[in-house]
Structures are given as structure tokens and as C-alpha cells.
């Protein structure tokens, strides 16, 4: 009986020891788990900005290159970059669009504050990836990766506390899945031709008490190809039609080394784009910029564009500059070979006059366009017949504003031709300019216009038409069988020098330099030295 009781006690004791051991082991595991949690650190990640790419150009000095990077482009000479080409009805200039350069240097390693005008936010739904490498004994050991979708709240993850990490962030700035590198010890990611490649990197040391913040500031690492067309110097209100395509534009992809922060040497894919260019308004309806998403790692220094149609709206009139039957090729040269710079070509359409002797005369006459908030002073198309106009085509002598705004009283004196964009390139003719025109020739058929030709027989003509004048305090045009054109010279305190032309309805043509009261509304034909 005692033996049975003893065994029961022994069994009870063993059970008690077992329970105590299990409880101790459980508590030990629980404490170990709590210890692991206490050694982790919360890391908060967000994209603060995407820096705008820079425009880099070649053939300019280092000081000027620095100015271009900072956006101080007013002092950059375009003499080696600007290419001028003349056609029958207009001219154009082609160059890199250095005037759109942003104010930060995207190739700088400084993580300083950047003007918000030069950065954009990464939109909701766009994806990027961050790789984390533990820095240990001079080496980087891969530890973690996170594909992040931009949302209203910051992304957070836990990393081991009191550890230094090197992080690498990259993105195509779209909503597609971000690939992982095939070799995590030497991470390389392939670029694309339909999306930018954005990149940033940095270092953090995690802290379990305060947590860590990663503020990604993406930079562009491959070139985007863009085209801007500016028709404001040709006095366009807007475009009626603008059709163009790139010509044999080389599009290449390469691997980008995340640890080196640069492109690998090997080119992975190569293609040529002849794609049609799509446009949107930029500063005004008279300036267009391309919307194509074209990116390349190729070190191209020029862009070729074929224009198949350009038609502008000029004060309600359609002017066809290029038709599909006669396309024009623009070659835009002078880009830097850098693969990180924005390559935006600029084609500026320009008004072209006719050269008589050593003076370039405007084909048309000066008028004021109150509907255009940017470019009010414009030059019309040439008139080959006698034509009267609205009041905004007539000016008092040396008045900055037309009769539609001043009536017969000049309020603000000055040369209105100098207000034509680009300013201070045109001027009102002088008496000497008029006398150098020689003798007027009647237009054929004889219907109210004359023309003058140069003595060098180049075939150039400048037309003057009979537009009459305004003599009363209103906008009624009279004397419609004469053309009255102001000179900048003053004949007396009350009279200004005038060129008077008279086609005389079939009996010949006449012209004379004379003078009339300064308060009469007359037309102006601007000139400039070629």
C-alpha cells in the first residue's frame, strides 16, 4: 500500500516538474519573441518629387553650359546652335530649346531643396521599387525589396534596428510591375523606349526608437525626345493644322547599374522611329509641344523632323505654309551627347519680308490684334488690290496705338513697328527708305496696288496698296484711291512725312514722298535691315 502511495507522489512530482518546465520554456520563447520585436525599426518611404530633366547643348563654353543647366539661358549664345532656313513665304530657325531649361542641375549629388516649378509629383497609382542592402565590413548584402504603389499615405516596412542600409529606388513612372534585378549582388535594370527611367539612392541607419524616413527624389537617367513649334513670330493666333513625323530617330535601351548609378556599356535593343508627332498647346495656341513618349539611351546630337503640313490661323485667315505635296525637313543640331539630358528641338516659324536694296520690307502692313494677349502687334499678308481695313490697321503719326484706340489724338508716342515680336527688330521706314524704292510699277491687273523692285534684278517685290486714310474723329476711311504710308520722320511740329502711292485705275502708277497732318490715320509698312 505504501509502495502505491509513493508511486503516486512520484508521478505527481514528475507532472509538476513537467508543467513548470513547459511554462518556463514558453515564457522564455515569449521573451525571445518580444526581444526580436524590440530590435526592429519602422521605415517610412515616399516620393517627394521627380526633378525635371535638363537641356544640355554642345559647342558652348563651360560657363555658358553652367548657365544653361541653371536656366540662366538669356546669356547663352545660339550662334553655333541656331540654323536659319528661308523659303518663299516664310523662314524658320531650328535649335535645341535651351530657353526651356529648368533651374536645377539633375546631375548634382546635392539633395538640396528644389524650386517647385522644376519638379513634379509622382501620381497616385504609379509604381516604384526600393532595394535594401545591409552595409557590413565594406560590403553590401541584399536584405529586402519593396514594390510600392504611390498612394495618399506613406509606405512603411520593418527593418532590423541599428543597421546601416544602402537603398536604391527606381521606376518607369507608370503603373506596370517593376522588375527585380536578375543578379542581386550586381543589380542591373533594363531601360525602356516608351517610359522614362527614374533613379535615386541613399543611405540610412535604422533606429528602433525614432524610426527612419526615406525621401525619394527621383532624377531622369535617359533622354526624352520632344519637339516644340513656335508660330508666334509669324503672327499666328493658333494652328489650323500641324503634321510632322520624326525621321529615323534612334531608340535604344541599355542596362542601368543601380550600384554604379550609370548605364552599362552594352546596348540591349535598337530601333528607328518614324512615328507621327502628336502635339498640345504650350504657352499659347500659337506654340505647340509634342506629347509622344519616346525615350532613348542613344547619344544623339541631332533630331530630324519631316513637316508635311503647317497651316496657321492669322486673325481669322488660314495661311498654308507647308502642304503635303511639298514637305520640308528640319534638322535640329547642337544637342549634348549626354544620355541624361532632355533633347527638345525648337522650330521657330518666322515672318519673311522682301529685300529691296539693303532693306528688308514687310510684305504686309502693320495692324493691332486686340484678341491676342501675347502678341498684339502683327504684320498682315500682302494686299495685291486696293483694300480698306478696320480701324486697327490705321495709325496716327508716331503713335504706339492704332486709331481704333486713339481716334485723332495720339496719347502714347513711339514706333509701333518696334513692338512687333521679336521686339526692336522692325521699325517704321524713314524718308530715305522711301526714296530708295525708285519708281512704282502698276500691278497687273491694275486694281489698286503698285510694287517696287530692287535694282539688282533679284525678282523681289514689295507691294503697296491703296488703303485710303482716316481724317475725322471716327473710323470712316476716305480717299480710297490713294495709299498713304507714314515715315518716322517729322516734317514739322504738326505734319509728318508720308509716302503716297496711286495706281490711278489703269493710267499708270505714281508715288511721291510728301507730308500730311500727324493726326490723320494712315497705314504703316515696317522695315528692318537684313
Amino acid at each position: 500500500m505504501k509502495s502505491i502511495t509513493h508511486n503516486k507522489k512520484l508521478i505527481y512530482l514528475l507532472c509538476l516538474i513537467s508543467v513548470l518546465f513547459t511554462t518556463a520554456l514558453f515564457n522564455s520563447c515569449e521573451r525571445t519573441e518580444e526581444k526580436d520585436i524590440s530590435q526592429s525599426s519602422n521605415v517610412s518611404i515616399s516620393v517627394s518629387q521627380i526633378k525635371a530633366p535638363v537641356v544640355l547643348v554642345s559647342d558652348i563654353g563651360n560657363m555658358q553650359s553652367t548657365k544653361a543647366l541653371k536656366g540662366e539661358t538669356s546669356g547663352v549664345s545660339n550662334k553655333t546652335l541656331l540654323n536659319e532656313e528661308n523659303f518663299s513665304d516664310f523662314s524658320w530657325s531650328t535649335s535645341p530649346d535651351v530657353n526651356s531649361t529648368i533651374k536645377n542641375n539633375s546631375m548634382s549629388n546635392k539633395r538640396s531643396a528644389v524650386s517647385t516649378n522644376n519638379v513634379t509629383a509622382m501620381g497616385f497609382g504609379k509604381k516604384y521599387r526600393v532595394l535594401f542592402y545591409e552595409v557590413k565590413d565594406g560590403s553590401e548584402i541584399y536584405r529586402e525589396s519593396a514594390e510600392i504603389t504611390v498612394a495618399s499615405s506613406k509606405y512603411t516596412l520593418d527593418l532590423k534596428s541599428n543597421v546601416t542600409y544602402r537603398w536604391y529606388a527606381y521606376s518607369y513612372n507608370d503603373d506596370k510591375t517593376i522588375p527585380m534585378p536578375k543578379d542581386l549582388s550586381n543589380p542591373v535594370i533594363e531601360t525602356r523606349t516608351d517610359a522614362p527611367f527614374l533613379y535615386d539612392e541613399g543611405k540610412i541607419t535604422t533606429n528602433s526608437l525614432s524610426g527612419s524616413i526615406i525621401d525619394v527624389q527621383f532624377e531622369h537617367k535617359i533622354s526624352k525626345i520632344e519637339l516644340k513649334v513656335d508660330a508666334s513670330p509669324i503672327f499666328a493666333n493658333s494652328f489650323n493644322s500641324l503634321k510632322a513625323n520624326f525621321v529615323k530617330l534612334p531608340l535604344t535601351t541599355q542596362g542601368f547599374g543601380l550600384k554604379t548609378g550609370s548605364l552599362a556599356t552594352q546596348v540591349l535593343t535598337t530601333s528607328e522611329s518614324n512615328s507621327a508627332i502628336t502635339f498640345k498647346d504650350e504657352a499659347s495656341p500659337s506654340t505647340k509641344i509634342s506629347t509622344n513618349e519616346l525615350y532613348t539611351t542613344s547619344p544623339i546630337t541631332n533630331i530630324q523632323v519631316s513637316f508635311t503640313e503647317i497651316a496657321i490661323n492669322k486673325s481669322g485667315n488660314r495661311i498654308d505654309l507647308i502642304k503635303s505635296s511639298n514637305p520640308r525637313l528640319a534638322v535640329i543640331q547642337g544637342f549634348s551627347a549626354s544620355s541624361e539630358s532632355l533633347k527638345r528641338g525648337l522650330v521657330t516659324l518666322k515672318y519673311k519680308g522682301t529685300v529691296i536694296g539693303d532693306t528688308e520690307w514687310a510684305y504686309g502692313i502693320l495692324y493691332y490684334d486686340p484678341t491676342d494677349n501675347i502678341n498684339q502687334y502683327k504684320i498682315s499678308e500682302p494686299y495685291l488690290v486696293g483694300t480698306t481695313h478696320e480701324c486697327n490697321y490705321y495709325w496716327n503719326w508716331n503713335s504706339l496705338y492704332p486709331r481704333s484706340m486713339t481716334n485723332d489724338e495720339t496719347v502714347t508716342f513711339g514706333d509701333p513697328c518696334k513692338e512687333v515680336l521679336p521686339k526692336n527688330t522692325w521699325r517704321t521706314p524713314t524718308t530715305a527708305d522711301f526714296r530708295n524704292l525708285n519708281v512704282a510699277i502698276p500691278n497687273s491687273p491694275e486694281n489698286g496696288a503698285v510694287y517696287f523692285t530692287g535694282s539688282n534684278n533679284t525678282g523681289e517685290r514689295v507691294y503697296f496698296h491703296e488703303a485710303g486714310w482716316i481724317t475725322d474723329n471716327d473710323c470712316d476711311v476716305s480717299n480710297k484711291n490713294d495709299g498713304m504710308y507714314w515715315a518716322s520722320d517729322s516734317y514739322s511740329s504738326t505734319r509728318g512725312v508720308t509716302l503716297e502711292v496711286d495706281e490711278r485705275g489703269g493710267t499708270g502708277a505714281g508715288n511721291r514722298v510728301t507730308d500730311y497732318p500727324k493726326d490723320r490715320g494712315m497705314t504703316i509698312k515696317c522695315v528692318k535691315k537684313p
Side-chain angles (χ1 to χ4, degrees):
M1 194 69 181
K2 288 182 179 181
S3 176
I4 293 173
T5 303
H6 177 74
N7 289 339
K8 286 182 177 180
K9 290 181 178 180
L10 181 60
I11 292 172
Y12 174 78
L13 181 61
L14 291 173
C15 288
L16 180 61
I17 293 173
S18 177
V19 170
L20 292 173
F21 177 78
T22 302
T23 302
L25 181 62
F26 179 79
N27 290 337
S28 175
C29 291
E30 190 172 48
R31 285 193 297 270
T32 301
E33 185 177 350
E34 290 175 352
K35 182 178 180 181
D36 288 341
I37 292 175
S38 67
Q39 288 182 347
S40 67
S41 175
N42 181 269
V43 179
S44 175
I45 308 171
S46 65
V47 177
S48 67
Q49 61 190 22
I50 302 174
K51 296 180 182 179
V54 295
V55 179
L56 294 179
V57 295
S58 62
D59 299 326
I60 55 178
N62 291 333
M63 182 178 297
Q64 291 174 328
S65 296
T66 302
K67 287 183 178 180
L69 285 170
K70 293 180 179 178
E72 300 167 359
T73 55
S74 59
V76 177
S77 172
N78 282 349
K79 290 182 179 179
T80 57
L81 307 175
L82 193 67
N83 179 47
E84 297 273 1
E85 192 170 1
N86 289 311
F87 305 108
S88 59
D89 298 325
F90 73 102
S91 66
W92 70 25
S93 64
T94 60
S95 68
D97 185 25
V98 295
N99 289 324
S100 294
T101 302
I102 51 84
K103 293 181 181 297
N104 69 287
N105 182 350
S106 71
M107 293 184 291
S108 170
N109 291 323
K110 296 180 180 179
R111 300 179 63 82
S112 57
V114 180
S115 169
T116 55
N117 293 330
N118 305 322
V119 300
T120 58
M122 180 170 274
F124 288 172
K126 302 293 180 68
K127 293 184 178 183
Y128 63 101
R129 184 178 290 278
V130 184
L131 305 182
F132 292 90
Y133 288 77
E134 180 180 346
V135 179
K136 189 174 183 180
D137 299 328
S139 300
E140 295 184 5
I141 306 168
Y142 171 75
R143 294 302 187 196
E144 186 70 64
S145 170
E147 183 184 77
I148 303 170
T149 301
V150 177
S152 57
S153 58
K154 293 184 178 182
Y155 182 88
T156 59
L157 80 162
D158 291 328
L159 294 176
K160 190 175 180 181
S161 184
N162 300 318
V163 174
T164 298
Y165 292 92
R166 175 74 69 178
W167 57 266
Y168 302 96
Y170 56 99
S171 173
Y172 299 112
N173 199 27
D174 60 18
D175 58 1
K176 297 180 180 179
T177 300
I178 307 293
M180 282 284 291
K182 295 179 180 179
D183 182 359
L184 289 171
S185 62
N186 181 29
V188 176
I189 300 296
E190 185 176 350
T191 65
R192 288 164 40 186
T193 60
D194 63 347
F197 188 83
L198 307 178
Y199 171 77
D200 195 14
E201 57 83 26
K203 183 186 289 187
I204 61 168
T205 299
T206 54
N207 187 316
S208 60
L209 297 178
S210 61
S212 302
I213 297 175
I214 293 179
D215 177 28
V216 180
Q217 299 179 20
F218 276 127
E219 297 178 353
H220 289 261
K221 289 299 179 180
I222 61 175
S223 297
K224 184 181 183 183
I225 308 301
E226 291 184 353
L227 177 70
K228 185 164 79 172
V229 183
D230 184 5
S232 58
I234 205 169
F235 317 122
N237 294 78
S238 60
F239 284 90
N240 289 109
S241 178
L242 179 59
K243 296 180 181 180
N245 61 274
F246 291 110
V247 178
K248 295 183 178 180
L249 180 67
L251 301 180
T252 57
T253 65
Q254 291 173 242
F256 187 89
L258 298 182
K259 289 188 176 182
T260 62
S262 60
L263 291 167
T265 304
Q266 183 180 359
V267 175
L268 301 178
T269 64
T270 302
S271 62
E272 286 186 344
S273 175
N274 297 291
S275 58
I277 303 174
T278 54
F279 293 95
K280 67 177 182 180
D281 290 348
E282 196 199 34
S284 73
S286 64
T287 304
K288 297 284 189 179
I289 191 166
S290 63
T291 60
N292 304 65
E293 295 292 327
L294 296 174
Y295 295 85
T296 186
T297 61
S298 178
I300 60 176
T301 57
N302 69 82
I303 298 172
Q304 297 185 63
V305 179
S306 175
F307 288 90
T308 55
E309 189 170 291
I310 300 179
I312 61 171
N313 167 31
K314 186 175 179 181
S315 299
N317 298 313
R318 179 187 172 106
I319 309 297
D320 290 293
L321 301 177
I322 293 178
K323 296 183 179 181
S324 58
S325 58
N326 188 23
R328 303 286 186 183
L329 180 67
V331 180
I332 308 166
Q333 301 175 326
F335 293 101
S336 165
S338 168
S339 60
E340 296 183 20
S341 63
L342 170 65
K343 300 180 191 295
R344 179 188 295 141
L346 172 63
V347 176
T348 303
L349 307 178
K350 296 182 176 181
Y351 183 86
K352 179 177 178 290
T354 181
V355 177
I356 304 297
D358 63 350
T359 302
E360 182 176 345
W361 289 82
Y363 276 116
I365 60 174
L366 179 68
Y367 70 101
Y368 188 91
D369 183 359
T371 66
D372 193 329
N373 295 327
I374 298 175
N375 189 11
Q376 292 89 12
Y377 294 82
K378 299 181 178 181
I379 297 174
S380 73
E381 294 304 294
Y383 291 91
L384 307 186
V385 298
T387 307
T388 57
H389 307 280
E390 299 295 327
C391 210
N392 55 313
Y393 284 73
Y394 295 88
W395 310 74
N396 295 334
W397 180 85
N398 198 33
S399 172
L400 274 181
Y401 298 104
R403 286 291 294 244
S404 58
M405 300 171 66
T406 65
N407 292 322
D408 61 352
E409 181 180 355
T410 300
V411 178
T412 306
F413 291 92
D415 188 342
C417 288
K418 291 185 177 180
E419 298 300 313
V420 174
L421 295 181
K423 288 189 175 184
N424 297 314
T425 56
W426 295 87
R427 60 175 175 81
T428 299
T430 63
T431 304
D433 292 323
F434 283 143
R435 294 194 186 280
N436 288 336
L437 286 174
N438 299 319
V439 179
I441 302 172
N443 192 30
S444 179
E446 298 174 347
N447 50 11
V450 301
Y451 65 88
F452 299 87
T453 61
S455 58
N456 50 3
N457 295 320
T458 59
E460 296 275 7
R461 293 182 179 184
V462 57
Y463 287 88
F464 289 76
H465 68 287
E466 296 171 351
W469 62 13
I470 299 174
T471 59
D472 297 325
N473 186 19
D474 52 32
C475 286
D476 292 334
V477 179
S478 60
N479 194 24
K480 298 178 183 180
N481 289 327
D482 285 330
M484 318 298 288
Y485 293 83
W486 281 125
S488 60
D489 302 298
S490 177
Y491 181 79
S492 68
S493 61
T494 60
R495 301 174 74 86
V497 177
T498 307
L499 174 70
E500 182 178 352
V501 299
D502 188 358
E503 193 269 329
R504 298 181 183 176
T507 61
N511 66 285
R512 63 172 182 160
V513 177
T514 182
D515 58 271
Y516 283 99
K518 293 179 178 178
D519 61 357
R520 296 193 179 184
M522 300 186 188
T523 51
I524 299 176
K525 187 176 284 286
C526 303
V527 299
K528 66 178 179 180
K529 295 294 183 181

